[in-house]
C-alpha cells in the first residue's frame, strides 16, 4: 500500500510539474522551491463538499504572494482520494497561507470530512518543463 501511495504521489508530482510553466519552451530551474504535497482520503459521501471547500481555498491561495501553484487532483480509480500539490517560494510563504482567513475557513469546514491525511513537504531541486 505504501509503495502504491508513493508511486501515485511521484506520478502526481510529474503531472503537476508539466503544468508549472505553460507557454515557455524549456525551463531548468534549480531554486529551492517549497512543495507541499498532501494525500487525503475523504470520507465517503463527503467528497463533493470537500472539493468545493478545497477549490475555494486553492483559488484564493494562488493570489497570495509566494504561492506559485495550487493543484488539486483526484485519483482516477478512487474519487475519495485527493492529492494536493502546492508550490511556494519558501516555507514561510506556506506558513503565511495557513494563517489566512480562507485557509482557516477550509480547515474548519473540512475537519470532519477527512479520514486520513499524509503531508509530504519537499524542496524542489530541479524543474524541467517543455511548453505547449
Amino acid at each position: 500500500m505504501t509503495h502504491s501511495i508513493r508511486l501515485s504521489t511521484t506520478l502526481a508530482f510529474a503531472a503537476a510539474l508539466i503544468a508549472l510553466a505553460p507557454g515557455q519552451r524549456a525551463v531548468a530551474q534549480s531554486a529551492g522551491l517549497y512543495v507541499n504535497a498532501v494525500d487525503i482520503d475523504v470520507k465517503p459521501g463527503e467528497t463533493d463538499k470537500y472539493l468545493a471547500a478545497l477549490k475555494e481555498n486553492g483559488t484564493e491561495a494562488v493570489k497570495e504572494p509566494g504561492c506559485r501553484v495550487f493543484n488539486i487532483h483526484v485519483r482516477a480509480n478512487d474519487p475519495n482520494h485527493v492529492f494536493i500539490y502546492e508550490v511556494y517560494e519558501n516555507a514561510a510563504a506556506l506558513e503565511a497561507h495557513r494563517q489566512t482567513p480562507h485557509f482557516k475557513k477550509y480547515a474548519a469546514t473540512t475537519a470532519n470530512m477527512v479520514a486520513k491525511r499524509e503531508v509530504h513537504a519537499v524542496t524542489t531541486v530541479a524543474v524541467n518543463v517543455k511548453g505547449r
Side-chain angles (χ1 to χ4, degrees):
M1 173 81 169
T2 302
H3 178 67
S4 109
I5 289 173
R6 285 186 186 144
L7 180 58
S8 70
T9 301
T10 301
L11 292 174
F13 280 162
L17 287 175
I18 289 169
L20 187 59
Q24 295 182 354
R25 292 189 156 232
V27 175
Q29 180 170 329
S30 60
L33 296 174
Y34 192 84
V35 176
N36 193 49
V38 187
D39 278 302
I40 295 179
D41 289 324
V42 180
K43 293 178 182 176
E46 300 287 345
T47 303
D48 289 342
K49 291 184 282 188
Y50 178 82
L51 288 173
L54 181 58
K55 288 176 184 178
E56 181 180 321
N57 178 48
T59 297
E60 294 303 314
V62 294
K63 296 175 186 175
E64 300 167 20
C67 180
R68 289 194 179 186
V69 174
F70 195 108
N71 290 342
I72 302 166
H73 309 271
V74 176
R75 188 177 288 167
N77 63 352
D78 182 0
N80 293 322
H81 184 86
V82 177
F83 179 76
I84 305 166
Y85 180 84
E86 304 168 80
V87 179
Y88 294 90
E89 296 289 329
N90 50 46
L94 172 59
E95 185 53 38
H97 164 66
R98 290 179 176 154
Q99 301 307 313
T100 62
H102 58 267
F103 177 81
K104 290 178 181 181
K105 177 183 175 186
Y106 154 78
T109 301
T110 63
N112 294 321
M113 297 179 190
V114 174
K116 181 179 176 186
R117 174 181 285 115
E118 285 186 46
V119 178
H120 310 278
V122 298
T123 300
T124 301
V125 176
V127 173
N128 302 288
V129 179
K130 184 174 182 177
R132 296 176 191 157

